[in-house]
């Protein structure tokens, strides 16, 4: 069954599985409720400070201890751009100005959708937040190995975006 939902949120009965719109979905035979699981949306931000890129050493799983872009899940009802700014502030202590949308990334079997932005640091002091172990600035051509499947494509798209902006 999809996800970790075993009981109906409406009546409490154990869920079974039913094909709805060509997809197996959790279904309550007692009250007829079909569960449609929503994706999780994460904001990811490539922040530049001068000519360097801001990365955080992850203080939480998955990939704890690895360097990555500041990122995190949106809150329900939150605007994506607001989530991007909040996550950067929480993880790095930096205030940012968003420069543009790099892209939206997803994978067939992953419930996570990434909304990736480019941003410039405009204030604050770099310091690790509650779910980051460290903040460091890296030259874009000297980044450590990044942990997540979309990271290489995100970097390529970000570089293309920056090159297009520079050429006018």
């Amino acid at each position: 069954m999809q996800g970790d939902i075993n009981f109906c949120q409406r009546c409490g009965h154990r869920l079974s599985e039913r094909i709805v719109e060509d997809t197996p979905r959790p279904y309550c035979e007692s009250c007829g409720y079909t569960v449609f699981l929503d994706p999780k949306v994460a904001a990811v931000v490539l922040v530049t400070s001068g000519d360097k890129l801001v990365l955080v050493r992850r203080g939480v799983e998955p990939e704890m201890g690895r360097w990555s872009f500041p990122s995190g899940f949106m809150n329900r009802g939150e605007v994506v751009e607001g989530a991007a700014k909040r996550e950067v502030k929480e993880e790095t202590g930096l205030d940012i100005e968003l420069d543009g949308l790099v892209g939206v990334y997803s994978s067939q079997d992953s419930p996570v959708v990434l909304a990736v932005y480019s941003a410039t640091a405009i204030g604050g002091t770099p310091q690790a937040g509650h779910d980051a172990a460290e903040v460091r600035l890296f030259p874009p051509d000297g980044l450590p190995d990044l942990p997540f499947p979309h990271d290489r494509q995100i970097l390529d798209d970000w570089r293309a975006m920056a090159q297009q902006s520079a050429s006018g």
Side-chain angles (χ1 to χ4, degrees):
M1 186 163 329
Q2 293 181 330
D4 297 325
I5 299 174
N6 297 311
F7 297 93
C8 180
Q9 62 194 39
R10 290 192 174 165
C11 73
H13 281 85
R14 181 167 275 294
L15 295 172
S16 60
E17 192 171 88
R18 175 187 219 186
I19 303 296
V20 178
E21 298 171 353
D22 298 323
T23 303
R25 301 195 187 277
Y27 175 76
C28 180
E29 293 179 11
S30 177
C31 72
Y33 180 66
T34 301
V35 178
F36 290 87
L37 298 173
D38 296 329
K40 294 285 293 176
V41 179
V44 179
V45 188
L46 281 75
V47 180
T48 54
S49 181
D51 62 349
K52 303 225 168 140
L53 199 56
V54 178
L55 296 182
V56 295
R57 186 182 297 274
R58 293 182 58 80
V60 296
E61 293 294 351
E63 303 293 346
M64 186 165 65
R66 305 268 315 266
W67 291 100
S68 70
F69 309 122
S71 61
F73 291 114
M74 288 183 56
N75 295 319
R76 186 176 288 240
E78 187 175 29
V79 173
V80 182
E81 294 85 355
K85 291 177 181 180
R86 175 183 53 76
E87 284 295 339
V88 170
K89 184 68 171 179
E90 287 176 1
E91 292 187 2
T92 70
L94 296 173
D95 297 309
I96 61 168
E97 181 176 293
L98 295 177
D99 302 325
L101 179 68
V102 175
V104 177
Y105 304 82
S106 62
S107 297
Q108 179 68 36
D109 294 321
S110 174
V112 181
V113 176
L114 306 175
V116 182
Y117 289 90
S118 175
T120 303
I122 58 171
T125 302
Q127 63 184 46
H130 71 281
D131 56 356
E134 188 178 350
V135 177
R136 189 180 297 170
L137 281 66
F138 291 88
D141 59 352
L143 299 178
D145 287 334
L146 299 171
F148 297 110
H150 291 295
D151 288 341
R152 180 60 43 212
Q153 184 64 53
I154 288 169
L155 269 173
D156 290 346
D157 293 347
W158 175 76
R159 285 182 173 121
M161 181 179 166
Q163 189 173 40
Q164 187 176 18
S165 291
S167 65

